[in-house]
Amino acid sequence: MSRKEIDALEKDDVRYIWHPFTQMKEYAEEKPLIIKEGRGCIVKDTYGREYIDGVASLWTNVHGHRKPEIDEAIKRQVDMISHSTLLGLSNIPVIECARELVKITPEGLNKVFFSDSGSTSVEIALKMAFQFHRQAPDGDPKRTKFMCLTNGYHGDTLGAVSVGGIDLFHEIYRPLLFDTIKAESPYCYRCPFSLSFPSCGFECLGQMERLMEEHAHETAALIMEPMVQGAGGIIVHPAGYLKRVRELCDRFDIIMIADEVAVGFGKTGRMFGCENEGVRPDIMTLGKGITGGYLPLAATVTTERIYNGFLGNYDDFKTFFHGHTFTGNQLACSAAVASMKLFEEEDIINGLQEKIDFFADRLRPFSSLDHVGDVRQCGFMVGIELVADRDTKEMFPAGERIGHQVIMEARRHGLIIRPLGDVIVLMPPLAISKEEIEKICTITYESIRKITE
Ligand SMILES: *Cc1c(COP(=O)(O)O)cnc(C)c1O
């Protein structure tokens, strides 16, 4: 590209684009990084500089960029048709995609409702649970509320924000949101009960149980991210937590919604987060990695029981009145089918453990850095929490933007990552090589050291 073309792109980027989750005043002061191409786990900018895609293009990419099988599947589909509506019609890739999803999700999840982002998959899950109780013969119309966790994240649309628990993102919208029943999350590094695991005896679950005793009669569903709360700071839950939440939901007849948008498709080392503890939720939401990170697609997968609660004659008005314009889009579904086939053909899940162990080994030195308070890993999801003081766990002043400084330093050394406040996140594509993991860890380690010392 010519210097002039690049200059024009850089100028128009800040002139016309309002970037997501970005303070534009600060963004405009830094030179934008504009991606031009990618291959495998490497992306290239307009100057031809190469970077490792250290957070898998915001937790979406699975097999690397320009994976031939997915590229071909999309191209083949373009030559057939790119989009026709799913409202009243069906199409070939969406059927194949639903078939594959039912095959790979936990036993008993047999009905797939498609949409196009993680947030919409969550809205759908919430509305399904609510409407089920309003009208199903085995529902209970008094159950109109939702239980959720502190530090939870389920997307940015208002229903998803209502069940979110990150004050920084969610507090300002409070007047617009519906009320929820909030249980403390098992954020062991900063335990809300000032206890430590395992001697705490799961006090957080004790609290959840008390909340359910009090509120189950008015609670439609509980929504949570299984195993890892992603956007809340890669908060890895202690072993046994998820399974016990399932038991509580069973005991109090509360619909369990597992938001697998972040953890699904191999991120925890298993295909789905729930599999780590043999849990079958009543509703599962999927997004991010579903197309291998290629195209926007999401799915809400549920049981026959919930589905049957919506059956009736048209004038019973039990229809699920919900559907987005691009629901079931053929290009997105063909990418998802190709991605799921790759999981099977390349036996991807079984090949992950060795890389996960290697990753864990390379993360070990971080704990000795003066300003690293906690290193959390679940499979390919890693959070390194930086603190001003390790003894008191005091945070850095927000204005110092330590996390941001660290990732900008890493960028200068050829690694793209994105922090969550002062938690440095590493979440490479599953296709990452050991050499690349090594590089990610080295650059991150040096960047943290340089910025915090
Ligand atoms: C990213 C995310 C969402 C929202 O997905 P979008 O595609 O950004 O709308 C929902 N839930 C979880 C757990 C997520 O990580």
Side-chain angles (χ1 to χ4, degrees):
M1 288 186 97
S2 76
R3 194 56 211 230
K4 213 168 131 206
E5 283 172 297
I6 296 173
D7 283 347
L9 287 170
E10 289 177 356
K11 225 168 75 202
D12 291 346
D13 176 48
V14 292
R15 189 194 286 176
Y16 298 127
I17 299 177
W18 189 342
H19 284 263
F21 272 102
T22 301
Q23 176 45 259
M24 291 307 295
K25 180 170 171 287
E26 275 164 342
Y27 180 87
E29 287 162 5
E30 285 164 356
K31 207 169 157 64
L33 171 51
I34 302 171
I35 299 301
K36 179 153 172 265
E37 53 193 309
R39 189 183 284 279
C41 298
I42 304 291
V43 293
K44 255 193 215 179
D45 70 7
T46 42
Y47 297 92
R49 287 181 298 216
E50 297 193 346
Y51 306 85
I52 301 179
D53 190 358
V55 286
S57 296
L58 211 66
W59 315 359
T60 62
N61 195 280
V62 176
H63 312 283
H65 299 279
R66 294 181 66 191
K67 182 76 178 171
E69 289 86 345
I70 305 180
D71 290 6
E72 284 310 315
I74 295 171
K75 287 175 191 166
R76 267 199 313 275
Q77 187 57 43
V78 168
D79 285 337
M80 303 285 284
I81 185 170
S82 294
H83 179 74
S84 63
T85 184
L86 199 65
L87 276 67
L89 303 177
S90 198
N91 68 67
I92 298 168
V94 79
I95 297 168
E96 291 174 347
C97 186
R99 197 188 274 149
E100 286 298 311
L101 285 170
V102 167
K103 201 163 89 191
I104 64 174
T105 48
E107 189 70 37
L109 296 174
N110 293 334
K111 300 290 178 183
V112 186
F113 196 100
F114 285 98
S115 61
D116 35 45
S117 77
S119 304
T120 54
S121 75
V122 167
E123 298 291 334
I124 289 159
L126 299 175
K127 285 175 72 176
M128 262 180 194
F130 179 88
Q131 191 173 340
F132 171 82
H133 277 300
R134 298 302 275 184
Q135 68 190 28
D138 51 341
D140 175 355
K142 290 186 296 302
R143 288 180 178 252
T144 57
K145 291 193 176 165
F146 292 91
M147 190 173 287
C148 53
L149 299 185
T150 57
N151 303 305
Y153 178 81
H154 302 287
D156 298 329
T157 50
L158 287 172
V161 170
S162 293
V163 292
I166 305 175
D167 288 346
L168 175 68
F169 301 166
H170 300 149
E171 197 45 43
I172 181 118
Y173 304 107
R174 189 61 51 201
L176 300 177
L177 309 179
F178 56 75
D179 264 342
T180 57
I181 302 149
K182 208 152 272 170
E184 294 288 354
S185 77
Y187 185 4
C188 295
Y189 179 62
R190 297 182 188 278
C191 175
F193 306 99
S194 305
L195 297 170
S196 52
F197 185 76
S199 61
C200 62
F202 280 117
E203 179 51 32
C204 47
L205 287 167
Q207 185 218 26
M208 182 181 279
E209 184 176 4
R210 290 190 292 277
L211 285 171
M212 286 185 178
E213 275 162 2
E214 191 181 341
H215 295 287
H217 68 280
E218 54 176 355
T219 303
L222 171 142
I223 181 165
M224 66 173 291
E225 297 158 87
M227 298 304 289
V228 184
Q229 290 179 296
I234 315 293
I235 297 168
V236 177
H237 295 169
Y241 177 81
L242 179 63
K243 199 163 150 255
R244 287 175 170 83
V245 173
R246 174 73 264 187
E247 287 163 7
L248 286 174
C249 287
D250 281 341
R251 172 135 67 94
F252 291 96
D253 196 19
I254 290 171
I255 292 172
M256 182 182 187
I257 304 171
D259 181 353
E260 293 253 0
V261 170
V263 299
F265 297 97
K267 297 272 182 26
T268 67
R270 307 293 292 267
M271 184 59 105
F272 297 107
C274 284
E275 285 175 34
N276 289 279
E277 305 213 342
V279 162
R280 190 207 79 179
D282 302 290
I283 304 179
M284 186 184 258
T285 59
L286 299 168
K288 290 199 169 92
I290 189 170
T291 59
Y294 265 64
L295 286 162
L297 182 72
T300 307
V301 191
T302 191
T303 58
E304 304 273 348
R305 178 189 172 212
I306 296 211
Y307 174 85
N308 288 340
F310 290 76
L311 299 181
N313 296 323
Y314 182 78
D315 55 6
D316 295 335
F317 301 112
K318 286 186 172 182
T319 303
F320 189 41
F321 291 106
H322 191 110
H324 300 282
T325 305
F326 281 100
T327 294
N329 172 263
Q330 280 98 325
L331 295 183
C333 288
S334 63
V337 170
S339 172
M340 287 186 275
K341 280 195 181 141
L342 283 167
F343 268 101
E344 195 179 329
E345 283 162 13
E346 297 186 356
D347 196 19
I348 287 174
I349 298 295
N350 288 323
L352 295 180
Q353 197 54 48
E354 197 191 331
K355 289 192 214 178
I356 293 167
D357 294 342
F358 183 82
F359 209 169
D361 184 62
R362 291 305 185 271
L363 288 167
R364 222 154 272 140
F366 284 77
S367 312
S368 53
L369 284 167
D370 283 345
H371 293 280
V372 169
D374 196 22
V375 181
R376 301 186 279 269
Q377 180 193 14
C378 179
F380 278 67
M381 306 177 82
V382 172
I384 302 162
E385 183 162 341
L386 305 179
V387 289
D389 185 320
R390 277 220 293 201
D391 296 330
T392 62
K393 303 184 182 177
E394 189 191 330
M395 294 190 239
F396 283 104
E400 280 188 30
R401 301 184 77 208
I402 290 289
H404 180 73
Q405 286 192 55
V406 168
I407 70 112
M408 291 308 277
E409 177 64 18
R411 194 179 283 189
R412 288 187 279 276
H413 293 89
L415 170 65
I416 293 179
I417 47 179
R418 186 177 163 85
L420 293 161
D422 287 344
V423 176
I424 305 300
V425 179
L426 308 177
M427 205 187 298
L430 305 186
I432 195 88
S433 68
K434 280 192 194 167
E435 290 81 3
E436 288 164 330
I437 291 175
E438 174 98 52
K439 241 171 145 175
I440 290 173
C441 291
T442 305
I443 296 170
T444 305
Y445 183 92
E446 289 303 329
S447 302
I448 293 173
R449 199 168 67 161
K450 174 148 183 220
I451 297 300
T452 59
E453 278 183 2

